[in-house]
Amino acid sequence: MTVKSDNAVLNGIYNSDIAYVLHPLTIRHLAREWLKEDTPNFDYGGFVVGEKEETAVLLIKSEGVLAGKPFFEAIFKELDCMVHWEDIQEGSFIKPIKAVATVSGKVRQILLAERVALNIITRASGIATAAKRLRTIVEDLGWKGEVAGTRKTTPGFRMVEKYALLVGGVSTHRHDLSSMIMLKDNHIWTAGSITKAVKDAKVVGGFSLKVEVECRSLEDAREAASAGSDVVMLDNFSPDALSKTAAALKAEFPHLIIEASGGVTEHNIAQFCDPNVDVISLSRLTQGYDVVDFSLKIRKEGIDPRNLPVNITTS
């Protein structure tokens, strides 16, 4: 399946503006913590190279969607390095090998930030690439619902992963436990019933938070909707069972948001694109995703920064 290269708009959001969701102080804090983690004491390599001014080129070496520019910039900014991007927008699909940016500054500082910045951009771009592929699949089918990630994110790395989902054109789902009230089996078993769990959730959530209930049957979903749940998640339903259950629920509760989750992959998502399903969520987007390969090379006269494979021949 070929990823579309229409880079101007993703779900009505201009790529150049997506970074506005990120708080500048939060990005700065993350950049500092990542750099401190990577160099907790002496910078031995820095002693070797010193503080000569150099320029490095950022190369994309496998095809994918570019994501993570604000984090990449913030890391180098903390070390007084300047990043200059080529005319490539966040969310652009790029074929390798291509130079996408240059970084200028004291060489010791560039190398301090190199691996940290690459770790971020490779992972963010990997998520955005997978998200864009899924978005393309459902759009080609004419399905009007939303593909979403889940809260199954990497501890300490959630903001980057959720941001990358947006760049790829899918929904982030709830950002954390405070963003929406999701009542799963453990909540319901402990509360005693779906109705009681929803009622108690409404007391603390008030009018401003949606309540979602994980359901394993049509009866559970009907109880959740009748109790006032805004969203029901039909968990681990086969495509056929999902279609029949979603149709019955929409007929009875037209404004109910229906989410399908469990067992969804890039290869079978088309089977879940039912007209009565509003959201399809899957953890694969933030768990076990492939990365996009980037490298950062100091620019030197006569040296090819692409670092092509070495072929050894014997006589």
Side-chain angles (χ1 to χ4, degrees):
M1 192 276 300
T2 301
V3 178
K4 293 180 178 178
S5 59
D6 52 330
N7 301 313
V9 181
L10 294 175
N11 285 353
I13 304 174
Y14 285 90
N15 292 333
S16 59
D17 295 341
I18 291 179
Y20 294 166
V21 303
L22 300 169
H23 196 298
L25 292 182
T26 302
I27 301 176
R28 185 176 182 183
H29 169 75
L30 287 172
R32 286 182 172 183
E33 291 302 308
W34 290 329
L35 287 166
K36 284 161 58 180
E37 177 198 46
D38 196 51
T39 313
N41 43 69
F42 292 150
D43 173 23
Y44 299 106
F47 174 78
V48 175
V49 298
E51 294 195 327
K52 181 182 177 182
E53 293 285 330
E54 295 282 7
T55 297
V57 59
L58 176 66
L59 299 168
I60 185 167
K61 300 176 71 177
S62 62
E63 67 178 32
V65 173
L66 176 64
K69 288 171 65 175
F71 302 102
F72 188 89
E73 290 176 8
I75 291 164
F76 281 103
K77 185 176 180 180
E78 283 301 308
L79 295 172
D80 298 319
C81 296
M82 296 293 296
V83 178
H84 173 74
W85 296 96
E86 300 298 326
D87 187 19
I88 300 172
Q89 296 294 322
E90 189 89 306
S92 297
F93 182 77
I94 308 170
K95 289 185 175 293
I97 296 176
K98 184 177 179 62
V100 294
T102 56
V103 181
S104 300
K106 295 177 180 178
V107 63
R108 178 172 71 89
Q109 308 288 62
I110 292 175
L111 297 182
L112 268 175
E114 174 194 7
R115 176 44 52 193
V116 178
L118 289 174
N119 284 346
I120 305 304
I121 202 168
T122 58
R123 286 161 173 78
S125 297
I127 292 171
T129 302
K132 181 61 175 174
R133 281 200 306 267
L134 287 169
R135 189 72 226 174
T136 299
I137 290 170
V138 301
E139 284 180 347
D140 287 347
L141 291 169
W143 185 65
K144 303 302 182 184
E146 291 194 41
V147 177
T150 70
R151 201 167 56 86
K152 295 178 182 178
T153 54
T154 307
F157 201 58
R158 180 177 300 177
M159 177 170 286
V160 178
E161 291 173 334
K162 291 288 192 179
Y163 170 80
L165 291 175
L166 283 180
V167 174
V170 305
S171 171
T172 61
H173 211 292
R174 58 176 179 161
H175 193 85
D176 48 44
L177 276 176
S178 302
S179 300
M180 181 173 68
I181 305 171
M182 182 180 288
L183 302 173
K184 301 172 78 68
D185 48 14
N186 287 324
H187 297 97
I188 293 160
W189 293 336
T190 305
S193 71
I194 290 173
T195 300
K196 187 176 186 307
V198 172
K199 180 180 177 181
D200 289 348
K202 291 282 190 180
V203 170
V204 291
F207 70 90
S208 62
L209 287 179
K210 281 187 170 68
V211 175
E212 177 169 6
V213 178
E214 179 185 86
C215 300
R216 295 281 290 151
S217 68
L218 176 58
E219 292 71 26
D220 284 352
R222 277 184 172 139
E223 182 181 351
S226 298
S229 178
D230 305 285
V231 188
V232 296
M233 176 198 287
L234 301 181
D235 184 42
N236 281 310
F237 279 57
S238 69
D240 183 57
L242 172 69
S243 181
K244 292 175 180 176
T245 304
L249 287 170
K250 282 292 187 181
E252 194 171 345
F253 307 97
H255 300 295
L256 183 68
I257 297 173
I258 297 175
E259 176 181 342
S261 190
V264 183
T265 69
E266 180 181 326
H267 303 294
N268 69 8
I269 191 171
Q271 300 175 47
F272 295 86
C273 293
D274 187 273
N276 291 304
V277 172
D278 303 291
V279 181
I280 300 173
S281 62
L282 63 164
S283 59
R284 173 69 181 173
L285 286 169
T286 51
Q287 285 189 325
Y289 50 84
D290 295 326
V291 301
V292 176
D293 188 16
F294 288 84
S295 68
L296 187 72
K297 297 296 180 182
I298 299 295
R299 184 178 283 165
K300 284 296 179 184
E301 189 72 29
I303 297 178
D304 188 343
R306 295 176 298 168
N307 198 30
L308 298 173
V310 177
N311 294 313
I312 299 176
T313 59
T314 59
S315 58

